[in-house]
């Protein structure tokens, strides 16, 4: 069984950079993560069977690196189980969440069990095959003319969409990690042969090709950028996490929530201010943010022990340099696995063999291997059932979005019910399902000749929309996006459900508490108050929006109109002038705002001719309170108010 485990471990190393699952939305992120957990579970089963069948004394290989990885795993597990059920579901599925931690630690453990002289070179051959495949595909895509991209397969319902930045490794950074590790390894082989005056033509050909594609990846990264959160903001989020939750951090897989809560207001002045990031600009800062000082200390110890474990100088330099790259750059699953393979699975490092022994009975039968195998099987069965349902939910959810793109509302609705039935505690499914219900209800109510039966269906759909939005909030109530979704749904129901406006105000207020530096959230909230003719309150929110982002053109524009409604014409002119200075002179926005400004200036001079309007592009007034469906249906308000306690209702299908 040990020989089987060795081959299996080499395959795991080679497959991880190239595997992806196109049947889910995030085939490279969630897909690689899901596959890793399944592959590690099967590998542990093979290892456990090998322990039982070992006629000699069964042993476990161990090292300080694995010990600190175990600390990281235990701390992440504690963080995981401290969260609510809905949050646990999200972070188990997340690319850098608890599922990833399980898979990475399990993979490192398997590689450690196969360490012996010459194993690293054998595994490197498997990895090289994967690297050449990735490099060839990358080179071919680079040579395809841009006008012929993207290439969709199949064309009617694409599982794969190949664009200029597409890679089997999941992106340019994952591909770069793979190629750099291989270039380093093959460069060492060439150096050894040069010193020994041996022929190295084959090694030189492989290394040259890999270097070529590595340079190509570096070129692509210089053109497209890393797309990462800047280090300054990453540092400030980590420091705020230290202040608020020094030991535990924000929780494993919760960096996006930490970004909502603690990103600096200065971030709003950057070109990427509208982006939401689920990863820090640095893996080390991300671990610090999510797992506090304990997680930070564990990863520094992992890096130190990975370097210290190596016996020769070349290996020490390789593990140190690549380890620093890992810690400084954003999270990348391929890079993390490759570095751990070098730090844990290389055959030039120190390991400690520990005998697995628990003798019972008069003959001293060793029951420890059987107990380990039994626990492994139990864990695989329980976890496998749960992990399979998660995969099915993702498959159904992707299919529902494909149906929505085809404007097939009924199929979208039914597939989302299937997704929720598989993964009932995932808040994101509830959020999207709430929007689907509301869209279907609005479609029915927009029909001039609506029947009584359809009116009743619309009422049920509206009730389900609110219920599912509330369920998303209850499952993940520290995520402002779910409160904002609930607020938007309430906003759409004004004129249909009594009290919807006040409930929308409550939901927006909670969203702002959890996302304190978002100018867009304040703009939207102010828009609701403006539509309710609460101009003074709207004025304060628009002021907060432009304070948080001084170059926010739409914020200045709305703030100007709030002043105009309050008869503060001087302030309105000044604010509109500021908005005008922030838009392009070639845009319709500029023509619209300049026309309004000219009119307002004339009003100041006691003259009021009409201003010529051009169709707006981005500058827009708050939307009016919905009234098109008022009087068509009467929706009971009972049970639609904002959540006061946790609710997780199961979806029911409308007849």
């Amino acid at each position: 069984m040990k020989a089987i485990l060795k081959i299996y471990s080499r395959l795991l190393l080679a497959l991880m950079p190239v595997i992806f699952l196109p049947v889910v939305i995030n085939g490279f992120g969630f897909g690689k993560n899901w596959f890793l957990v399944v592959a590690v579970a099967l590998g542990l089963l093979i290892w456990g069977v090998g322990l039982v069948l070992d006629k000699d004394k069964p042993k476990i290989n161990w090292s300080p690196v694995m010990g600190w990885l175990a600390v990281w795993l235990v701390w992440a597990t504690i963080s995981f189980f401290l969260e609510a059920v809905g949050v646990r579901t999200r972070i188990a599925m997340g690319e850098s969440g608890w599922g990833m931690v399980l898979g990475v630690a399990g993979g490192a453990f398997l590689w450690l069990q196969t360490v012996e002289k010459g194993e690293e070179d054998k595994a490197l051959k498997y990895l090289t095959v994967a690297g050449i495949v990735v490099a060839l595909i990358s080179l071919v895509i680079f040579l395809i003319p841009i006008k012929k991209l993207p290439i969709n397969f199949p064309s009617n319902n694409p599982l794969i969409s190949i664009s200029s930045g597409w890679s089997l490794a999941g992106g340019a950074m994952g591909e770069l990690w793979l190629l750099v590790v291989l270039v380093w390894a093959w460069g060492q082989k060439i150096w050894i042969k040069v010193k020994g005056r041996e022929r190295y033509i084959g090694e030189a050909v492989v290394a040259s090709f890999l270097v070529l594609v590595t340079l190509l990846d570096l070129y692509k990264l210089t053109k497209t950028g890393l797309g990462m959160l800047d280090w300054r903001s990453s540092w400030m989020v980590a420091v705020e996490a230290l202040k608020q939750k020094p030991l535990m951090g924000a929780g494993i897989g919760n960096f996006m929530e930490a970004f909502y809560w603690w990103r600096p207001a200065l971030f709003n002045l950057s070109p990427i201010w509208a982006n939401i990031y689920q990863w820090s600009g640095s893996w080390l800062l991300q671990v610090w943010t999510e797992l506090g000082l304990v997680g930070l200390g564990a990863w520094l110890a992992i890096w130190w022990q990975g370097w210290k474990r190596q016996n020769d100088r070349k290996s020490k330099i390789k593990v140190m340099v690549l380890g620093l790259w890992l810690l400084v750059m954003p999270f990348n699953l391929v890079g993390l696995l490759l570095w751990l393979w070098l730090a844990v699975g290389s055959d030039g490092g120190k390991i400690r063999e520990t005998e697995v022994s628990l003798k019972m009975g008069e003959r001293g039968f060793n029951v420890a291997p059987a107990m380990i195998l039994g626990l492994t099987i139990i864990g695989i069965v329980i976890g496998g059932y749960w992990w399979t349902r998660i995969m099915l939910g993702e498959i159904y959810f992707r299919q529902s979005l494909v149906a929505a793109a085809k404007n097939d509302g009924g199929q979208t609705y039914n597939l989302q019910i299937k997704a929720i039935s598989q993964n009932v505690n995932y808040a994101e499914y509830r959020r999207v399902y709430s929007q689907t219900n509301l869209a279907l209800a609005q479609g029915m109510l927009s029909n001039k000749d609506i029947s009584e039966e359809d009116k009743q269906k619309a009422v049920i759909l509206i009730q389900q929309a609110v219920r599912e939005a509330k369920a998303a909030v209850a499952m993940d109530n520290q995520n402002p996006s779910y409160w904002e979704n609930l607020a938007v749904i309430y906003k759409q129901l004004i004129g249909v459900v009594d009290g919807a406006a006040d409930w929308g105000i409550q939901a927006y207020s909670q969203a702002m508490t959890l996302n304190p530096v978002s100018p867009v959230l304040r703009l939207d909230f102010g828009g609701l108050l403006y539509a309710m003719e609460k101009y003074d309150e709207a004025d304060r929110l628009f002021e907060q929006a432009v304070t948080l982002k001084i170059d926010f053109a739409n914020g200045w524009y709305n703030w100007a109109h709030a002043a105009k409604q309050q008869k503060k014409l001087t302030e309105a002119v000044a604010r509109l002038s500021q908005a005008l200075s922030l838009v392009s002179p070639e845009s319709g926005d500029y023509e619209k705002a300049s026309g309004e400004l000219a009119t307002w200036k004339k009003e100041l001079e006691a003259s009021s001719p009409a201003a010529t309007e051009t169709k707006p592009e981005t500058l827009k007034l708050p939307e009016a309170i919905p009234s098109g469906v008022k009087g068509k249906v009467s929706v009971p308000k009972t049970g639609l108010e904002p959540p006061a306690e946790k609710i997780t209702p199961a979806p029911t299908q409308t007849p």
Side-chain angles (χ1 to χ4, degrees), residues 169-188:
M173 183 55 70
E175 186 174 305
L176 188 62
W177 255 105
L178 174 61
L179 296 178
V180 166
V181 169
L182 290 174
V183 167
W184 198 313
W186 284 94
Q188 284 183 326

PDB file of all heavy atoms in Angstrom, residues 169-188:
ATOM      1  N   ALA A 169      -4.224  26.670 -14.471  1.00  0.00           N
ATOM      2  CA  ALA A 169      -3.848  26.863 -13.070  1.00  0.00           C
ATOM      3  C   ALA A 169      -4.777  27.837 -12.357  1.00  0.00           C
ATOM      4  O   ALA A 169      -4.624  28.064 -11.160  1.00  0.00           O
ATOM      5  CB  ALA A 169      -2.412  27.352 -12.973  1.00  0.00           C
ATOM      6  N   GLY A 170      -5.740  28.421 -13.074  1.00  0.00           N
ATOM      7  CA  GLY A 170      -6.698  29.329 -12.453  1.00  0.00           C
ATOM      8  C   GLY A 170      -6.364  30.783 -12.617  1.00  0.00           C
ATOM      9  O   GLY A 170      -7.109  31.647 -12.156  1.00  0.00           O
ATOM     10  N   GLY A 171      -5.253  31.103 -13.239  1.00  0.00           N
ATOM     11  CA  GLY A 171      -4.853  32.481 -13.426  1.00  0.00           C
ATOM     12  C   GLY A 171      -3.349  32.583 -13.614  1.00  0.00           C
ATOM     13  O   GLY A 171      -2.598  31.613 -13.435  1.00  0.00           O
ATOM     14  N   ALA A 172      -2.896  33.784 -13.972  1.00  0.00           N
ATOM     15  CA  ALA A 172      -1.476  33.979 -14.251  1.00  0.00           C
ATOM     16  C   ALA A 172      -0.615  33.743 -13.018  1.00  0.00           C
ATOM     17  O   ALA A 172       0.505  33.230 -13.121  1.00  0.00           O
ATOM     18  CB  ALA A 172      -1.246  35.380 -14.801  1.00  0.00           C
ATOM     19  N   MET A 173      -1.127  34.100 -11.823  1.00  0.00           N
ATOM     20  CA  MET A 173      -0.310  33.941 -10.620  1.00  0.00           C
ATOM     21  C   MET A 173      -0.119  32.472 -10.266  1.00  0.00           C
ATOM     22  O   MET A 173       0.989  32.043  -9.917  1.00  0.00           O
ATOM     23  CB  MET A 173      -0.950  34.690  -9.446  1.00  0.00           C
ATOM     24  CG  MET A 173      -0.128  34.637  -8.153  1.00  0.00           C
ATOM     25  SD  MET A 173       1.567  35.229  -8.349  1.00  0.00           S
ATOM     26  CE  MET A 173       1.281  36.977  -8.587  1.00  0.00           C
ATOM     27  N   GLY A 174      -1.174  31.669 -10.349  1.00  0.00           N
ATOM     28  CA  GLY A 174      -1.036  30.239 -10.092  1.00  0.00           C
ATOM     29  C   GLY A 174      -0.117  29.577 -11.102  1.00  0.00           C
ATOM     30  O   GLY A 174       0.718  28.722 -10.756  1.00  0.00           O
ATOM     31  N   GLU A 175      -0.247  29.982 -12.368  1.00  0.00           N
ATOM     32  CA  GLU A 175       0.627  29.448 -13.410  1.00  0.00           C
ATOM     33  C   GLU A 175       2.075  29.856 -13.168  1.00  0.00           C
ATOM     34  O   GLU A 175       3.005  29.049 -13.345  1.00  0.00           O
ATOM     35  CB  GLU A 175       0.152  29.964 -14.764  1.00  0.00           C
ATOM     36  CG  GLU A 175       0.876  29.377 -15.949  1.00  0.00           C
ATOM     37  CD  GLU A 175       0.255  29.820 -17.262  1.00  0.00           C
ATOM     38  OE1 GLU A 175      -0.968  29.614 -17.443  1.00  0.00           O
ATOM     39  OE2 GLU A 175       0.989  30.384 -18.096  1.00  0.00           O
ATOM     40  N   LEU A 176       2.283  31.091 -12.745  1.00  0.00           N
ATOM     41  CA  LEU A 176       3.640  31.565 -12.464  1.00  0.00           C
ATOM     42  C   LEU A 176       4.270  30.782 -11.316  1.00  0.00           C
ATOM     43  O   LEU A 176       5.452  30.434 -11.365  1.00  0.00           O
ATOM     44  CB  LEU A 176       3.601  33.056 -12.139  1.00  0.00           C
ATOM     45  CG  LEU A 176       4.950  33.768 -12.014  1.00  0.00           C
ATOM     46  CD1 LEU A 176       5.707  33.714 -13.330  1.00  0.00           C
ATOM     47  CD2 LEU A 176       4.746  35.217 -11.579  1.00  0.00           C
ATOM     48  N   TRP A 177       3.486  30.491 -10.285  1.00  0.00           N
ATOM     49  CA  TRP A 177       3.991  29.698  -9.172  1.00  0.00           C
ATOM     50  C   TRP A 177       4.488  28.334  -9.671  1.00  0.00           C
ATOM     51  O   TRP A 177       5.592  27.887  -9.340  1.00  0.00           O
ATOM     52  CB  TRP A 177       2.882  29.481  -8.140  1.00  0.00           C
ATOM     53  CG  TRP A 177       3.023  30.315  -6.912  1.00  0.00           C
ATOM     54  CD1 TRP A 177       2.296  31.416  -6.577  1.00  0.00           C
ATOM     55  CD2 TRP A 177       3.943  30.098  -5.842  1.00  0.00           C
ATOM     56  NE1 TRP A 177       2.713  31.913  -5.370  1.00  0.00           N
ATOM     57  CE2 TRP A 177       3.713  31.119  -4.892  1.00  0.00           C
ATOM     58  CE3 TRP A 177       4.935  29.162  -5.596  1.00  0.00           C
ATOM     59  CZ2 TRP A 177       4.446  31.216  -3.705  1.00  0.00           C
ATOM     60  CZ3 TRP A 177       5.666  29.249  -4.411  1.00  0.00           C
ATOM     61  CH2 TRP A 177       5.427  30.259  -3.485  1.00  0.00           C
ATOM     62  N   LEU A 178       3.673  27.669 -10.469  1.00  0.00           N
ATOM     63  CA  LEU A 178       4.028  26.346 -10.975  1.00  0.00           C
ATOM     64  C   LEU A 178       5.305  26.405 -11.805  1.00  0.00           C
ATOM     65  O   LEU A 178       6.230  25.595 -11.626  1.00  0.00           O
ATOM     66  CB  LEU A 178       2.867  25.791 -11.805  1.00  0.00           C
ATOM     67  CG  LEU A 178       3.112  24.467 -12.538  1.00  0.00           C
ATOM     68  CD1 LEU A 178       3.421  23.347 -11.554  1.00  0.00           C
ATOM     69  CD2 LEU A 178       1.898  24.118 -13.394  1.00  0.00           C
ATOM     70  N   LEU A 179       5.384  27.382 -12.702  1.00  0.00           N
ATOM     71  CA  LEU A 179       6.532  27.449 -13.600  1.00  0.00           C
ATOM     72  C   LEU A 179       7.811  27.851 -12.869  1.00  0.00           C
ATOM     73  O   LEU A 179       8.889  27.341 -13.185  1.00  0.00           O
ATOM     74  CB  LEU A 179       6.231  28.428 -14.741  1.00  0.00           C
ATOM     75  CG  LEU A 179       5.075  28.018 -15.664  1.00  0.00           C
ATOM     76  CD1 LEU A 179       4.844  29.073 -16.727  1.00  0.00           C
ATOM     77  CD2 LEU A 179       5.353  26.666 -16.303  1.00  0.00           C
ATOM     78  N   VAL A 180       7.711  28.754 -11.918  1.00  0.00           N
ATOM     79  CA  VAL A 180       8.900  29.160 -11.175  1.00  0.00           C
ATOM     80  C   VAL A 180       9.473  27.986 -10.387  1.00  0.00           C
ATOM     81  O   VAL A 180      10.698  27.771 -10.354  1.00  0.00           O
ATOM     82  CB  VAL A 180       8.577  30.342 -10.238  1.00  0.00           C
ATOM     83  CG1 VAL A 180       9.699  30.560  -9.222  1.00  0.00           C
ATOM     84  CG2 VAL A 180       8.365  31.615 -11.042  1.00  0.00           C
ATOM     85  N   VAL A 181       8.609  27.214  -9.736  1.00  0.00           N
ATOM     86  CA  VAL A 181       9.078  26.030  -8.991  1.00  0.00           C
ATOM     87  C   VAL A 181       9.770  25.054  -9.931  1.00  0.00           C
ATOM     88  O   VAL A 181      10.843  24.499  -9.618  1.00  0.00           O
ATOM     89  CB  VAL A 181       7.898  25.348  -8.260  1.00  0.00           C
ATOM     90  CG1 VAL A 181       8.309  23.980  -7.721  1.00  0.00           C
ATOM     91  CG2 VAL A 181       7.417  26.234  -7.111  1.00  0.00           C
ATOM     92  N   LEU A 182       9.200  24.837 -11.113  1.00  0.00           N
ATOM     93  CA  LEU A 182       9.803  23.901 -12.067  1.00  0.00           C
ATOM     94  C   LEU A 182      11.099  24.443 -12.655  1.00  0.00           C
ATOM     95  O   LEU A 182      12.075  23.696 -12.832  1.00  0.00           O
ATOM     96  CB  LEU A 182       8.803  23.593 -13.185  1.00  0.00           C
ATOM     97  CG  LEU A 182       7.597  22.747 -12.781  1.00  0.00           C
ATOM     98  CD1 LEU A 182       6.611  22.628 -13.930  1.00  0.00           C
ATOM     99  CD2 LEU A 182       8.034  21.360 -12.323  1.00  0.00           C
ATOM    100  N   VAL A 183      11.118  25.735 -12.987  1.00  0.00           N
ATOM    101  CA  VAL A 183      12.346  26.330 -13.522  1.00  0.00           C
ATOM    102  C   VAL A 183      13.479  26.213 -12.509  1.00  0.00           C
ATOM    103  O   VAL A 183      14.624  25.884 -12.856  1.00  0.00           O
ATOM    104  CB  VAL A 183      12.104  27.805 -13.908  1.00  0.00           C
ATOM    105  CG1 VAL A 183      13.427  28.525 -14.148  1.00  0.00           C
ATOM    106  CG2 VAL A 183      11.236  27.894 -15.151  1.00  0.00           C
ATOM    107  N   TRP A 184      13.175  26.475 -11.247  1.00  0.00           N
ATOM    108  CA  TRP A 184      14.184  26.363 -10.194  1.00  0.00           C
ATOM    109  C   TRP A 184      14.708  24.926 -10.111  1.00  0.00           C
ATOM    110  O   TRP A 184      15.921  24.698 -10.056  1.00  0.00           O
ATOM    111  CB  TRP A 184      13.582  26.785  -8.863  1.00  0.00           C
ATOM    112  CG  TRP A 184      14.599  27.122  -7.802  1.00  0.00           C
ATOM    113  CD1 TRP A 184      15.700  26.386  -7.456  1.00  0.00           C
ATOM    114  CD2 TRP A 184      14.608  28.268  -6.973  1.00  0.00           C
ATOM    115  NE1 TRP A 184      16.392  26.993  -6.445  1.00  0.00           N
ATOM    116  CE2 TRP A 184      15.745  28.159  -6.128  1.00  0.00           C
ATOM    117  CE3 TRP A 184      13.776  29.360  -6.826  1.00  0.00           C
ATOM    118  CZ2 TRP A 184      16.055  29.115  -5.165  1.00  0.00           C
ATOM    119  CZ3 TRP A 184      14.082  30.320  -5.878  1.00  0.00           C
ATOM    120  CH2 TRP A 184      15.209  30.204  -5.060  1.00  0.00           C
ATOM    121  N   ALA A 185      13.781  23.956 -10.116  1.00  0.00           N
ATOM    122  CA  ALA A 185      14.188  22.554  -9.986  1.00  0.00           C
ATOM    123  C   ALA A 185      15.022  22.098 -11.176  1.00  0.00           C
ATOM    124  O   ALA A 185      16.067  21.445 -11.009  1.00  0.00           O
ATOM    125  CB  ALA A 185      12.950  21.677  -9.830  1.00  0.00           C
ATOM    126  N   TRP A 186      14.593  22.423 -12.395  1.00  0.00           N
ATOM    127  CA  TRP A 186      15.343  21.997 -13.576  1.00  0.00           C
ATOM    128  C   TRP A 186      16.643  22.778 -13.725  1.00  0.00           C
ATOM    129  O   TRP A 186      17.631  22.253 -14.258  1.00  0.00           O
ATOM    130  CB  TRP A 186      14.471  22.129 -14.823  1.00  0.00           C
ATOM    131  CG  TRP A 186      13.463  21.012 -14.892  1.00  0.00           C
ATOM    132  CD1 TRP A 186      12.187  21.041 -14.428  1.00  0.00           C
ATOM    133  CD2 TRP A 186      13.679  19.711 -15.421  1.00  0.00           C
ATOM    134  NE1 TRP A 186      11.581  19.829 -14.632  1.00  0.00           N
ATOM    135  CE2 TRP A 186      12.469  18.987 -15.243  1.00  0.00           C
ATOM    136  CE3 TRP A 186      14.751  19.066 -16.021  1.00  0.00           C
ATOM    137  CZ2 TRP A 186      12.324  17.673 -15.643  1.00  0.00           C
ATOM    138  CZ3 TRP A 186      14.613  17.746 -16.429  1.00  0.00           C
ATOM    139  CH2 TRP A 186      13.416  17.065 -16.243  1.00  0.00           C
ATOM    140  N   GLY A 187      16.658  24.015 -13.265  1.00  0.00           N
ATOM    141  CA  GLY A 187      17.914  24.765 -13.256  1.00  0.00           C
ATOM    142  C   GLY A 187      18.945  24.118 -12.348  1.00  0.00           C
ATOM    143  O   GLY A 187      20.141  24.057 -12.677  1.00  0.00           O
ATOM    144  N   GLN A 188      18.492  23.613 -11.215  1.00  0.00           N
ATOM    145  CA  GLN A 188      19.399  22.898 -10.317  1.00  0.00           C
ATOM    146  C   GLN A 188      19.948  21.635 -10.973  1.00  0.00           C
ATOM    147  O   GLN A 188      21.132  21.300 -10.823  1.00  0.00           O
ATOM    148  CB  GLN A 188      18.671  22.540  -9.016  1.00  0.00           C
ATOM    149  CG  GLN A 188      18.487  23.712  -8.061  1.00  0.00           C
ATOM    150  CD  GLN A 188      17.839  23.285  -6.762  1.00  0.00           C
ATOM    151  OE1 GLN A 188      17.006  22.390  -6.718  1.00  0.00           O
ATOM    152  NE2 GLN A 188      18.215  23.939  -5.675  1.00  0.00           N
TER     153      GLN A 188
END
